[in-house]
């Protein structure tokens, strides 16, 4: 199975100059399609909305895909929704994927099941793939509620399949699940590889139970992945790649993580 390493740049870098410097470093290291294929690891970055068009233009002839970090729940295309960017707009800017349901969106923007179902529908309608983030908080982890929380969050996928069958024909190629324990994001704390592996197995089994076509779901781990711990996650066959925040802001650490997954899959 191909590995995926996806960089979530969040609200970084601060300036276009710094965005271009990061891209310079990234593209120097990964400068041809052939080289990227040789890595056996699909790379993707998700810049902030303001940088999406310029980043996707620079990545156009490279093997690195470009994703949005979010899309509007209200409309797939246009409307009176101040501050929102629609699925059609981010696709027009060059994104081919979008992250949805990141814990920071759930926390700071109160994103609910219904909101995420809308967003997922809009993304797929506009031909965007979806990296759907799920994961428990520290309190939920401490209370051993991880799998219950995940099941509730995965109900978005179940409801999508029930309501939007025409959109979900090739869903296994257009949906990636990113398991990100909230307490591991940006904290330096990580669950054990055994814990992540067991949770990924549960996610894969649950999603396969929704539809036969989802029997080989790609499931990434996210939360304080770095160049030092990537090998241990990459070695587990249940972990198909990584969603990377902080370490994706330096080409060197981002590509070291990709290299760990390439070596594990080769
Ligand atoms: C994230 O925000 O998706 C993430 C995984 O962040 P970090 O790698 O910094 O923990």
């Amino acid at each position: 199975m191909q590995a995926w390493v996806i960089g979530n740049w969040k609200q970084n870098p601060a300036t276009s100059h710094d965005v271009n410097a990061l891209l310079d470093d990234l593209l120097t290291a990964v400068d041809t399609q052939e080289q990227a294929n040789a890595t056996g690891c699909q790379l993707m970055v998700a810049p902030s909305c303001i940088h999406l068009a310029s980043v996707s233009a620079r990545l156009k002839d490279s093997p690195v895909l470009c994703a949005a970090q979010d899309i509007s729940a209200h409309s797939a295309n246009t409307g009176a929704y101040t501050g929102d960017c629609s699925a059609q707009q981010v696709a027009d800017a060059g994104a081919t994927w979008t992250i949805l349901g990141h814990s920071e969106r759930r926390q700071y923007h109160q994103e609910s099941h219904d909101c995420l179902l809308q967003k997922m529908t809009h993304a797929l309608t506009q031909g965007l793939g979806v990296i759907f983030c799920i994961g428990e908080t520290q309190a939920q982890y401490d209370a051993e509620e991880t799998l219950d929380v995940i099941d509730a969050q995965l109900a978005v996928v179940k409801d999508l399949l029930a309501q939007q069958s025409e959109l979900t024909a090739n869903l296994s190629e257009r949906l990636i699940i990113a398991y990100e324990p909230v307490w591991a994001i940006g904290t330096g704390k990580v669950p054990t590889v055994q814990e992540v592996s067991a949770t990924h197995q549960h996610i894969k089994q649950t999603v396969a139970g929704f539809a036969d076509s989802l029997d080989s779901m790609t499931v990434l781990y996210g939360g304080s992945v770095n160049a030092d711990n990537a090998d241990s996650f990459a070695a587990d066959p249940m972990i198909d790649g990584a969603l990377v925040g902080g370490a994706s802001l330096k080409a060197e650490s981002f590509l070291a993580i990709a290299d760990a997954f390439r070596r594990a899959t080769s």
Side-chain angles (χ1 to χ4, degrees), residues 8 10 99 102-104 133 180 184-188 221-225 243-248:
N8 174 15
K10 311 193 187 193
I99 296 172
H102 192 280
S103 65
E104 288 151 14
C133 301
E180 299 204 299
I185 295 178
T187 59
Y221 169 71
S224 296
V225 178
L243 181 55
V244 185
S248 71

Side-chain angles (χ1 to χ4, degrees), residues 3-216:
W4 295 73
V5 171
I6 302 174
N8 174 15
W9 290 358
K10 311 193 187 193
Q11 195 176 286
N12 300 295
T15 64
S16 301
H17 177 270
D18 292 346
V19 168
N20 276 318
L22 175 54
L23 283 175
D24 286 344
D25 290 348
L26 201 56
L27 291 173
T28 301
V30 185
D31 64 354
T32 67
Q33 182 76 49
E34 289 69 31
Q35 272 177 334
N37 284 342
T39 71
C41 178
Q42 178 63 61
L43 296 175
M44 190 187 308
V45 295
S48 67
C49 202
I50 190 76
H51 297 132
L52 195 55
S54 65
V55 170
S56 66
R58 283 203 63 190
L59 295 177
K60 196 164 188 295
D61 297 319
S62 88
V64 184
L65 300 175
C66 191
Q69 294 177 13
D70 184 43
I71 55 168
S72 175
H74 300 294
S75 164
N77 34 66
T78 57
Y81 305 111
T82 302
D84 276 16
C85 286
S86 73
Q88 184 177 22
Q89 288 173 322
V90 303
D92 182 62
T96 49
W97 289 77
T98 185
I99 296 172
L100 289 181
H102 192 280
S103 65
E104 288 151 14
R105 301 286 318 170
R106 293 178 190 263
Q107 181 183 356
Y108 301 126
H109 301 269
Q110 289 75 45
E111 289 193 345
S112 64
H113 172 100
D114 290 350
C115 162
L116 289 168
L117 184 56
Q118 276 301 115
K119 290 186 178 195
M120 213 179 270
T121 304
H122 293 330
L124 295 170
T125 305
Q126 295 297 324
L128 295 171
V130 172
I131 301 129
F132 184 54
C133 301
I134 58 175
E136 81 285 359
T137 63
Q138 180 76 65
Q140 291 163 335
Y141 174 79
D142 291 344
E144 299 184 2
E145 293 169 357
T146 297
L147 300 188
D148 292 338
V149 170
I150 280 168
D151 287 349
Q153 293 171 333
L154 285 175
V156 171
V157 178
K158 188 179 187 180
D159 289 353
L160 178 85
L161 286 159
Q163 292 174 19
Q164 304 285 344
S165 52
E166 75 285 2
L167 285 180
T168 55
N170 61 348
L171 194 59
S172 61
E173 289 154 32
R174 304 305 284 152
L175 177 67
I176 289 173
I177 307 286
Y179 168 56
E180 299 204 299
V182 180
W183 53 272
I185 295 178
T187 59
K189 291 196 287 183
V190 288
T192 66
V193 174
Q194 290 72 22
E195 285 176 304
V196 175
S197 185
T199 304
H200 280 209
Q201 185 167 20
H202 177 82
I203 293 167
K204 285 172 189 262
Q205 282 170 352
T206 302
V207 173
F210 296 161
D212 291 345
S213 58
L214 299 184
D215 66 349
S216 56

